[in-house]
């Protein structure tokens, strides 16, 4: 659910006040952005995937099916995290979607889109 204009203004005022009050803390919170976060998440998922392989192999060697299944599930979950994290990462030089970008093109709900399509079909059939 997107923020209302009033909520966005309040958030921007709070951000400006934080920067004015303690710029060092504000820049530490900001970090280097979404790109670093998603890259770290992908690296963690790859490490988890390797742990899953180790569990799977240990389960096969020890003939413990439960350990093998857990290893496979860990591998699967980490693979999904890595792929989704990689897709969400902004490209170099690209700005992540922020509040200003959301204002430019407001999201429509699924029901609004369905209703608009229904209206279009009715209008096309009526003419």
């Amino acid at each position: 659910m997107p923020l209302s204009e009033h909520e966005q203004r309040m958030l921007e005022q709070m951000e400006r006040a934080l920067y004015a009050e303690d710029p060092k803390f504000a820049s530490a919170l900001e970090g280097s952005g979404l790109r670093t976060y998603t890259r770290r998440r992908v690296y963690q998922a790859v490490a988890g995937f390797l742990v899953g392989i180790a569990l799977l192999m240990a389960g096969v060697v020890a003939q413990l099916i439960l350990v093998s299944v857990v290893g496979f599930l860990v591998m699967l979950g980490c693979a999904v995290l890595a792929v989704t994290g990689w897709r969400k990462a902004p490209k170099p030089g690209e700005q992540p979607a922020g509040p200003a970008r959301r204002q430019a093109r407001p999201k429509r709900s699924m029901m609004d889109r369905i209703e608009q399509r229904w209206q279009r079909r009715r209008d096309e059939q009526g003419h």
Side-chain angles (χ1 to χ4, degrees):
M1 183 162 131
L3 297 175
S4 69
E5 289 182 34
H6 175 69
E7 291 170 331
Q8 287 177 356
R9 281 193 306 267
M10 294 288 288
L11 182 61
E12 289 170 2
Q13 288 174 355
M14 289 171 29
E15 287 175 353
R16 283 192 297 265
L18 177 63
Y19 277 106
E21 187 176 310
D22 193 354
K24 186 176 178 182
F25 178 68
S27 63
L29 282 179
E30 188 177 70
S32 54
L34 179 65
R35 190 164 176 225
T36 302
Y37 170 75
T38 52
R39 188 180 315 147
R40 188 175 343 141
R41 182 176 169 194
V42 169
Y43 290 151
Q44 290 171 348
V46 169
F49 187 84
L50 294 175
V51 169
I53 288 175
L55 284 172
L56 178 69
M57 298 306 272
V60 169
V61 169
Q63 295 182 349
L64 298 171
I65 295 174
L66 184 62
V67 174
S68 297
V69 170
V70 168
F72 176 76
L73 292 175
V74 167
M75 287 172 50
L76 183 63
C78 289
V80 169
L81 282 176
V83 169
T84 58
W86 193 262
R87 286 184 182 169
K88 289 180 183 178
K91 307 294 182 265
E94 180 183 40
Q95 291 291 335
R101 183 171 278 179
R102 269 188 243 125
Q103 279 182 347
R105 196 184 97 215
K107 277 191 167 183
R108 295 182 304 188
S109 70
M110 184 177 75
M111 289 304 293
D112 290 339
R113 291 189 306 246
I114 292 172
E115 188 174 324
Q116 187 179 26
R117 288 179 192 160
W118 179 259
Q119 287 288 54
R120 222 180 303 139
R121 286 184 189 141
R122 286 183 51 200
D123 291 343
E124 287 172 3
Q125 290 176 354
H127 292 288

